[in-house]
Amino acid sequence: MLSFLLIIPLLSALAIGLAPERASKGLAMLGSLLALAAGAAVVASFDWGRGSAFQFAAALPVVPELGVTLSLGVDTVALWLVVLTVILQPLCVLGSFSAITERTRTYYASLMALQAAMLGVFLARDLIFFYVCFEFTLVPMYVLISLYGSTNRRKAATKFFLYTFTGSIIALAGLIYVAWVAATRVPDAAGWTFDIATLRSAAQAHLSPTEQGWVMLAMMAGFAVKVPLFPVHTWLPLAHTEAPTAGSVILAGVLLKLGTYAIYRFVLPFVPVAVVEYAHVVAALSIVGILYGGLICWVQRDVKKLVAYSSVAHLGFCMLGMFALNAAGVQGSILYMINHGLSTGALFFLIGFMYERYHTRSLEEVGGLGSKMPIWSTFMVFFMLASVGLPGLNGFVSEFLCVMGAFQSGAYTLGPGGTAGPLGPWYAFIAGFGMIVAAMYLLYMTGRIVFGPLREPPGHDDHGHGHAGSHEGGGLPADLTAREVVVLAPIAALCLFLGVYPKPLIATLEGPVNDKVQMVLSLGNAAGAAPAGAAGGER
Amino acid sequence: MTGLMGGWATLAAAGGGAAAHAAPGIPAPGAGSPIALLLLGLPLLAAALCGVFAATGNRSKLPAFTSVAALGACFGIALMLFLNWNGQPATARAFDWISLDWGAGKGQSFDAHFGVYIDGLTLLWMLFVTGLATVIALYSMEYMSHDVGLGYCRYFAAFNLFVFSMTALVMGDNLLMLFLGWEGVGLCSYLLIGYYYKRAAAVAAAKKAFIMNRIGDLGLLMGILSTFVVFGTIEYAPLFQMIASGKTASGAELASHWSVWGIPLMFAVGAFGKSAQFIFYTWLPDAMEGPTPVSALIHAATMVTAGVFLIGRLYPLFTADPALIALSVVAWAGVITALWAATIEMAIFDIKRVMGYSTISQLGFMFAGMGLLTPTGAAFHTFTHAFFKATLFLGVGAVMHGFGGQLDLRRLSGVMWMRGFGLVGIAMLVGSINLSGVPFTAGFFSKDVILAQAFTTPGTMIWGAQAAAWLLLLTAGMTAYYTFRTFLRVYVGPREFVPGDDAELLDLGRHPKGVSLDEWHAQHGHGHGHGHGHDDHGHGSDHRAAVRPDFDPTTEEFDPHPPGWSMKAAIGLCMVLSILAAGVYFMKPAVGNHGGWVAGMVGQSSAAFASPGEHHGGAAEHAAKLGTFLGYDPHKVMYYVSAGVGLIGILIAAFLHGPRGVWSLFIGNRTSAAVAPRADALANLFGPLTRAARNKYYVDEIYDALVRTPLRVLAHIFHILDQGLVDGLVNLCGALPRMLARSLRPSQSGVLQGYAVGMAAGLGLILIVVWVLMLR
Amino acid sequence: MATLADGLHLSVLAAAAEPAAIAPAIGLYHYLFVSAALFALGVIGFLTRRNLIIMFLCTEMMFQAAGIALIAFSRFHLNHTGEVFVIFVLTIAAAEAALALALVVLLFRRKETLDASEWAALRG
């Protein structure tokens, strides 16, 4: 069943490659809708009662001698990220119709191949398969940025590729080390295996605390770059700024989540002792990212770069929640992955739509679009609010849970609402300033681009109010077209729904997250690496 | 109703030390009527409908009718809830919002529902919020008519969303729901202040309001999280029970636990932010950039009182502290704010900002009331203030609407005597006497409760209570002065005016429908020939307005545009309500026998609290334990004292600013709008102080220099660092191999023989090595 | 390696044991010397000449030198491996010659010269 999720995008990529140029749009749309249908079918037949178990397991041995198997399966966490991917994909295709008019075949084929790779990451239960997909995402993304990006695209694409690739290689080394340990130190090991569950128990049982530290460092080297965590984030603004609209959406929406997902899947359970010991370091870096990234946003002149830096700040919250190592934090973190994908993805769409009309992203050249593009502006304000974390919209739920997780973590000494964990209220308090900074830069952005007197670039021919005049950028009217509204409306609806009624997500994530948190904390503390007493009297 | 008082805090004597004030217990809530949830649903539905109207390009007043109907229905529901209320708290739930479980034990699950908690405080707030919202929606129908088809739907959508948020804030049954409303009202305030989004000042003011509020919100959020950690719940009902039991959830003694002062302080920061108290207040004057009805509803009557509500809602927590640290902070913040804002008001000339600062000042009174242990007084003052301040704002709005946005009190005079403005003038007089505390008005009674209690509360309970009381009394006099300064200059006196050039506030009839205001503006230029906008930041300059005493409205091209039926109806309603609000003081309270209807409502709520000395334990007790007013019982003499102080303030205003004419025998020297020689002389006497007050004591500038600019610089440094250092290191990693490669580059000559020589040499080298190895 | 060393050793002994042969026997050394000489000539020619055709001929010469050495060892060890190998080499050399000369012709058409130093596009 899950294999359809991989085969459909791959086949459509192939079909787009073989079919004539003019068919590529339609084929991509068809492929992504079929993938959406497949995703819906998986959701429909998923057994929510066993959310922490991998379901729909399927395996195909590839290199039996080395234990490499193409094995698939989803648990709740993976499933929701799969859902995010299959929902964003058709919107990305639809949103590219007017932006990409040349070499469409390569473009849509890359987009579909990218989807297959991303889904592969979420579906993989075999380490090698996971890693292959994880790395393969770079190739289509490289093509998308370097061929369809804006002026500085080659530099951005190269940097993106080399930076994340270098990190991933180090992560691979760490993972292979774990596999080696599993093959050599486990008493009844039947040769090499790359099954993630087997490796996890082997790593937990047979890695010394020092080794765990090194393995964590290696894995974080790869995954933190992808997230991106504070000091290793600099590829992101560049790649985001230069990528085509759909590329940015996918990059922000899903690709960054590969890093956080990998941390959830590998770092947390594989090396719990090291995680408990170094969580405060990661949390501190996250908080630096939140404030530092946020302040940098505030002085940006390029609106796309502003949103790109905001991802650094936002993912800081996500990582903070993750390393709070309690139910609220980790759930918040997973919700954050989904919510950030929706709201920031939509912001990138909006900026892309504006760019198609004005061919500039500078806040100094264009602004005050509220009177000229009322529909666009309404969406802009809406998604800005979702991004700023306004209660009632999706961003708040995840941000609140992340901050709450950080606050509770280790606060069991203060009262029963606290949990065991490595952080504490001060982390939450300082991270809370990130919410103020977020308001500062996002309101600065909307204040300039939506509100204020209308400013347009000098070369832009004025269509007058509401007049659907032709335009050098492909005959687009002043405000959004019906197609563009169709791209944004589902995201807006999801943002609102998840803000008001996040229960479906929270209720289904509860089981797996609680299991994971229990496991990490009990193992992390049992080995004696955590500060004395951190296990807490509550459990 | 008295029979149903149940376990409400009843009349505990003040004696027995400061620690014994915690309410003995708030009854567990019963099941509330699910109809209460409609109070949340209806405004939301109306907001959604307005969105639909906007999407379908509606060009009628339909959004306004929808809003008035929905809000009127809300008021009806609130009234029905109140009439059917049995005096007990009640809850009703819609659905789960955020709820998590991570264990079975206490505090191992987090629950925030969409649900409502109904008690006296809730109903009190809901009644005036929905009531005023209906009236002001009616007013807006006409006031915003110049924007029909442009921003009309947007305005009413945000307006309804505001009522929804305020309802969530007031009615929510848990702290997160309150937070939802708290941020929601902030959002609507942002949207409505920035309603005239083409005006840079409005956009900046909106941004400022939101960000300043967010700073307070951080305090609130930390308070909520601490509450959860310490008490294991954020729902009111179990929280109040736990506080009443005197223990934290882990069994520690609450009175000696850090949370008993720490958490209230965090909440207080949130309350200061939302209610524009000292150090956070600067956003509120700027918020006057929004349309006037919005200023009346949001920035005077309802939203800004959310801080008072928050403290009232969490009063059990605030009073659980034996040292009452947080309440002392609240009291002093209130007193300082009240005094500080009053001094500014006495100096500035923009009548709308006078109202803005006056709101800040009155909010200071409410906070002082809360802090000085009279939640009844604070709630009562909130209640009366909502009506009379709304009246004042609506009156100012009518003037703005009629005079093209003119707000400078040096350019308006005798408005009351102009055709169609009579009702406005009367309403302003009613509002002014309420605000000044003229005897037998609602404002008089409510302020009196606070002042009397301020003198009664001993300094042993609230730090420096006596000094605070004297400062409040002084502020009351200043309030009377600045209120009548405005009234006497603008509404009475010789008839003259200079119209503003704010086309956005002119009636639609003056420019063709459907043309955007910008275009209209461009066509007409500054066609009134007077070209002086109300320059928002120019009050510091002493330039005289170009008032022409010979101005004859009938011959000029500009006609003052009197308010129409819906504006008049709204002003009239507010005026009547602010008069009637005095009546509630004489209604028998449901709990106790003192303080009127509001006291009863507060007594049947979480804010129930037996104020020290409220029940007249006799002069001996006063002398021994409680504060006095110069040796008298404050509760008995304060009526006369505050009336006297108010009248002195009014007389000073009349002496300095009163018109010639009927008054001329006694006082008054003003002959035209611009001139008030005695007042000017007095202002000059204070010189630098006046200038500083006119510039709002440069607080904005100080914040700019201390916070914003350093942050901005830091952000720029970070930006440069990010590109130079952080990214630079990355680039260095990339550059090192490249440099190495470059140094090796010349070895690749590209000439075939060169490579061949290399090969040959390599071969030779291998041979030599082999040879050497072989030889060994 | 051991067998090769032994072989060399034996042939040396054999030469020493029969000093009065009909003529000085033509041993492995002679072939190897010819091969080495031919190879050296090829290398020197390749390094010193600039003409592409001459250079190509020199590489062929080095090929042949290697071939001679292979044949010699093949005879010496009394197996056919080397001979088989040489036949392969010759076949490939023939194909290569055809290809290389065609390339040289193409290069000549580009620049009307056969000077190898004119072609230095790979300079770093």
Side-chain angles (χ1 to χ4, degrees), chain A residues 79-330:
Chain A
L79 180 60
W80 285 124
L81 289 166
V82 166
V83 169
L84 174 70
T85 314
V86 293
I87 288 177
L88 279 183
Q89 185 77 9
L91 303 178
C92 284
V93 173
L94 192 62
S96 308
F97 280 4
S98 58
I100 306 294
T101 47
E102 283 170 5
R103 287 195 285 192
T104 51
R105 203 153 49 174
T106 322
Y107 179 81
Y108 289 110
S110 307
L111 216 51
M112 295 311 291
L114 184 57
Q115 189 191 15
M118 293 183 307
L119 288 172
V121 170
F122 296 134
L123 297 179
R125 285 178 61 214
D126 180 83
L127 186 63
I128 297 296
F129 179 52
F130 165 86
Y131 187 78
V132 167
C133 291
F134 192 81
E135 289 297 51
F136 187 72
T137 54
L138 297 183
V139 179
M141 201 65 213
Y142 179 82
V143 172
L144 286 178
I145 297 178
S146 66
L147 288 184
Y148 304 91
S150 43
T151 45
N152 221 353
R153 57 181 182 262
R154 302 214 182 262
K155 187 182 167 213
T158 313
K159 190 169 203 171
F160 161 71
F161 195 105
L162 288 181
Y163 204 153
T164 51
F165 184 74
T166 312
S168 309
I169 288 288
I170 303 173
L172 180 66
L175 292 169
I176 295 283
Y177 183 77
V178 172
W180 177 75
V181 166
T184 52
R185 289 194 206 160
V186 179
D188 52 349
W192 284 76
T193 176
F194 288 96
D195 179 54
I196 292 175
T198 319
L199 291 187
R200 183 186 61 207
S201 41
Q204 289 170 350
H206 297 283
L207 284 177
S208 73
T210 324
E211 283 177 311
Q212 289 208 5
W214 285 106
V215 169
M216 177 173 169
L217 187 65
M219 291 202 276
M220 288 304 285
F223 301 142
V225 171
K226 202 81 162 191
V227 170
L229 204 57
F230 156 63
V232 289
H233 63 273
T234 50
W235 62 272
L236 181 80
L238 192 62
H240 261 319
T241 317
E242 301 300 329
T245 299
S248 299
V249 174
I250 295 272
L251 191 58
V254 188
L255 273 189
L256 303 187
K257 309 317 179 309
L258 300 188
T260 46
Y261 175 76
I263 288 171
Y264 174 79
R265 185 63 80 216
F266 295 106
V267 177
L268 253 48
F270 275 38
V271 287
V273 178
V275 165
V276 170
E277 189 169 355
Y278 297 112
H280 62 279
V281 177
V282 180
L285 288 177
S286 312
I287 291 172
V288 172
I290 292 169
L291 298 175
Y292 173 91
L295 280 177
I296 290 179
C297 286
W298 194 32
V299 293
Q300 290 303 319
R301 301 216 170 89
D302 181 332
V303 59
K304 204 169 177 186
K305 211 165 193 170
L306 191 155
V307 178
Y309 268 111
S310 83
S311 286
V312 178
H314 280 142
L315 269 292
F317 277 111
C318 187
M319 293 293 283
L320 183 70
M322 182 88 78
F323 280 83
L325 300 179
N326 53 22
V330 176

Side-chain angles (χ1 to χ4, degrees), chain A residues 299-374:
Chain A
V299 293
Q300 290 303 319
R301 301 216 170 89
D302 181 332
V303 59
K304 204 169 177 186
K305 211 165 193 170
L306 191 155
V307 178
Y309 268 111
S310 83
S311 286
V312 178
H314 280 142
L315 269 292
F317 277 111
C318 187
M319 293 293 283
L320 183 70
M322 182 88 78
F323 280 83
L325 300 179
N326 53 22
V330 176
Q331 282 208 42
S333 178
I334 293 164
L335 286 179
Y336 215 116
M337 295 183 205
I338 292 158
N339 292 335
H340 175 261
L342 293 173
S343 55
T344 306
L347 283 180
F348 276 120
F349 269 130
L350 284 162
I351 291 165
F353 294 156
M354 183 204 78
Y355 185 77
E356 282 178 52
R357 287 164 173 80
Y358 291 100
H359 301 281
T360 177
R361 298 181 309 251
S362 166
L363 286 171
E364 272 156 19
E365 287 181 29
V366 63
L369 295 176
S371 54
K372 182 114 179 218
M373 303 172 71

